[in-house]
Amino acid sequence: MFFLVGNKCDLPDTQREVDYEEGEQWAEDYRDEMLDKEGQDIDIEFLEVSAKDGTNITELFNSVGEKIIDKYEVKNWVKQNSMK
């Protein structure tokens, strides 16, 4: 799992280097091209944040935490059940 994070979403569109649509398109374009060690597609999530005003910061950390928990719960379940 990868997160593509665009910062400074608090800026007006005229001052932004990359707009939301461009960031989302970049993530979409590369989703199918990136493969993990097992040859499966790696998901890339795009999220805009603002460190200045805190927009989506909590959402970003929650998403990262959820992905970590999901990954390790599944691996631990497989490991435990394969030993039976």
Side-chain angles (χ1 to χ4, degrees), residues 8 15 20-21 48 53 58 60 70 74-75 79-80:
K8 300 192 180 286
Q15 294 181 339
Y20 180 86
E21 289 78 18
E48 286 191 316
D53 67 16
T58 300
L60 173 62
D70 289 346
V74 168
K75 283 188 175 185
K79 194 182 292 185
Q80 289 170 357

Side-chain angles (χ1 to χ4, degrees), residues 8-71:
K8 300 192 180 286
C9 70
D10 55 282
L11 292 178
D13 289 342
T14 57
Q15 294 181 339
R16 298 175 84 171
E17 295 291 324
V18 177
D19 63 20
Y20 180 86
E21 289 78 18
E22 187 178 355
E24 182 62 40
Q25 186 63 52
W26 188 93
E28 188 175 316
D29 289 345
Y30 287 93
R31 279 184 185 113
D32 296 332
E33 294 182 24
M34 297 181 72
L35 300 176
D36 68 9
K37 291 183 251 180
E38 294 150 1
Q40 297 184 9
D41 290 340
I42 294 177
D43 192 21
I44 301 173
E45 289 189 28
F46 177 66
L47 185 64
E48 286 191 316
V49 301
S50 169
K52 181 179 180 180
D53 67 16
T55 301
N56 287 335
I57 299 295
T58 300
E59 290 80 357
L60 173 62
F61 280 98
N62 286 341
S63 294
V64 170
E66 287 171 8
K67 297 296 180 182
I68 291 170
I69 289 168
D70 289 346
K71 179 178 178 179

